[in-house]
Amino acid sequence: MSDEEIAKAHVTTPPVHNDRIHLADYDPAWPARFERLAGDILATLGEVRLEHVGSTSVPGLPAKPILDMLLIVEDPADEAAYVPALESLGYVLTIREPEWYEHRVLKLTGEMPVNLHVLPEGCLEVRRMLGFRDWLRTHDEDRDLYADTKRDLAGRTWKYVQNYADAKTRVVESILTRAGV
């Protein structure tokens, strides 16, 4: 994404990183943290689908110590249906991308920050995120390739964290192709 696209997607001014990316070794406590947070969200929103995604969801994979969660709703553009309830739990709406599957991101700060992605049921990106996670959980060679790519890129200085994420695209796409997603 360009600087302009990053700024447009953010509800407020996007945070400038201008640093390397900190990766932590996999922590077996991450899934339990997801379960605790998912329980809070389910108790607040009721019947919704939540998934643990991103690198913290793949055993053995280093990750930024930020938990990625995926909330799948009927219509992410209907923010009134979920944003106020999530705000009551401390989440803050930070990204709104109506042109990309109505994607939203809410963030939670604290001991281990959270990026809560919101996407509609049945969209291609939901299948890609879950397919990528599931493939890496069962294919050590691609998990290791992705880990090596992340470590290499993390050592560089990035203006925005999104720039680091974008730099992984070629490897992610090659893995998704092997996964048939």
Side-chain angles (χ1 to χ4, degrees):
M1 293 176 76
S2 68
D3 287 4
E4 294 77 24
E5 291 168 323
I6 291 169
K8 181 181 174 192
H10 277 76
V11 174
T12 60
T13 303
V16 175
H17 186 69
N18 279 338
D19 202 351
R20 296 176 178 182
I21 301 297
H22 169 68
L23 294 179
D25 290 334
Y26 179 79
D27 185 338
W30 289 340
R33 174 133 172 88
F34 165 77
E35 292 298 332
R36 283 192 309 277
L37 292 167
D40 293 342
I41 292 171
L42 292 171
T44 302
L45 292 179
E47 291 296 318
V48 294
R49 183 174 169 203
L50 276 171
E51 297 280 348
H52 187 185
V53 295
S55 295
T56 61
S57 70
V58 179
L61 190 60
K64 296 184 309 291
I66 300 170
L67 196 76
D68 283 301
M69 300 172 67
L70 174 61
L71 172 62
I72 302 165
V73 300
E74 186 174 322
D75 180 11
D78 183 10
E79 294 177 7
Y82 63 93
V83 170
L86 292 170
E87 287 175 336
S88 75
L89 296 174
Y91 291 85
V92 176
L93 179 66
T94 58
I95 294 176
R96 182 183 288 126
E97 295 179 287
E99 68 287 343
W100 191 65
Y101 306 111
E102 292 293 344
H103 178 239
R104 305 296 195 266
V105 176
L106 292 95
K107 294 186 181 263
L108 180 68
T109 58
E111 67 183 70
M112 182 178 187
V114 175
N115 289 334
L116 177 62
H117 299 268
V118 184
L119 287 166
E121 183 70 53
C123 86
L124 174 62
E125 190 58 22
V126 168
R127 289 193 309 275
R128 288 168 51 89
M129 289 173 85
L130 299 178
F132 188 72
R133 175 200 67 191
D134 294 346
W135 182 264
L136 292 182
R137 284 177 173 174
T138 59
H139 292 81
D140 294 348
E141 65 285 349
D142 277 335
R143 185 199 62 224
D144 294 345
L145 169 64
Y146 189 52
D148 291 345
T149 300
K150 288 166 58 95
R151 285 185 188 105
D152 176 56
L153 294 171
R156 302 178 192 175
T157 298
W158 301 97
K159 180 176 182 180
Y160 296 109
V161 174
Q162 182 63 47
N163 301 140
Y164 161 76
D166 291 344
K168 298 182 294 183
T169 299
R170 185 181 53 79
V171 170
V172 168
E173 292 298 330
S174 70
I175 292 170
L176 284 168
T177 297
R178 285 190 289 285
V181 179

